[in-house]
Amino acid sequence: MISAFASPISEKIFMDYDTKQKHNTDKKQSPLEQEELKGTVYREFTIHIFQSISFLQTLEIDEADIAARQLDIAWTKPNIRKLIIFDMDETLTHCVRHKNPSREPDVFLNIPTQSGNTLRAGFNLRPFWREILEAANRDFEVAVFTASNPSYADTILDHLDRDRVLIQHRFYREHCIKTTDNVYVKDLR
C-alpha cells in the first residue's frame, strides 16, 4: 500500500485527514474539504494521481515515434467533427482476475491469446456504460483507446457493440507510444 508521495507542493497536501485537521486553523471547511482525504480510498486515489503526474513529467518519448503514430480520423458521421475517447479497461469494463464467490462477473468471454489458445475470462460491465455511449453519440464520434492487443479488445468491444453503432473508432496498443520504460502511452495530442 502506498503511504507517502514526494509532491512538489507537499506543504499543501497532507497524506491523512488527521494531519490536515491539525493544520486547519479556521475549522471552516467547504463540502469538498469535508470529504477530501477521508479514509483509504480518497488518500490512495490522491496519491495515485500525483504519482501519475510525476511519472508523466519524467517520460522520455521519441519525437519521431510521436509523429509516426499520429492518426488521421476517418469521420463517419456527417456534420460531426468532434471526437470523444473512452478507455476500455477500468472505464467501460473491468476484467475479473480473481473469482469472488459472492459476485459472479457480468459476462464471460472467450479471449484469443497470442499463442493461439483461448482464455475464458470474466468481465464486469461498468454501470450505465450503454447509456453514456448512446448519449455521447448524439454530439460526438466515439472512439475507444486501449493499450490492449486487438484480439483481446475486439472480443470485448464486439460484445459491447455488436452492430458497431456505438463505437466508431478503435485504437489499440499499436497506436500507443512505447516509452523507454516499456510503458504504453496513449498520446492524445
Side-chain angles (χ1 to χ4, degrees), residues 54-87:
S54 177
F55 172 77
L56 291 172
Q57 290 173 335
T58 63
L59 276 181
E60 293 181 24
I61 300 175
D62 182 13
E63 292 295 323
D65 199 16
I66 293 170
R69 299 211 187 279
Q70 287 183 343
L71 301 171
D72 186 23
I73 303 294
W75 301 102
T76 63
K77 295 178 180 179
N79 304 320
I80 293 183
R81 294 295 177 265
K82 295 184 287 183
L83 182 69
I84 187 168
I85 301 172
F86 290 90
D87 182 44

Side-chain angles (χ1 to χ4, degrees), residues 91-173:
T91 302
L92 297 174
T93 64
H94 172 73
C95 181
V96 179
R97 291 185 171 87
H98 305 289
K99 285 190 174 185
N100 180 350
S102 65
R103 187 180 193 297
E104 283 291 313
D106 294 331
V107 64
F108 284 95
L109 299 173
N110 294 321
I111 307 293
T113 65
Q114 291 179 338
S115 64
N117 296 322
T118 301
L119 172 69
R120 186 151 177 83
F123 293 88
N124 287 326
L125 308 178
R126 294 296 187 193
F128 305 106
W129 67 268
R130 179 176 299 282
E131 291 82 352
I132 190 65
L133 291 178
E134 288 171 349
N137 267 280
R138 290 185 209 119
D139 298 308
F140 300 93
E141 290 211 4
V142 176
V144 171
F145 201 162
T146 178
S148 300
N149 291 314
S151 59
Y152 170 82
D154 283 339
T155 302
I156 297 166
L157 295 175
D158 289 346
H159 176 79
L160 296 177
D161 188 17
R162 284 183 176 84
D163 299 324
R164 292 192 176 228
V165 296
L166 296 174
I167 303 166
Q168 291 78 43
H169 308 278
R170 298 177 180 195
F171 304 117
Y172 311 98
R173 179 173 290 180

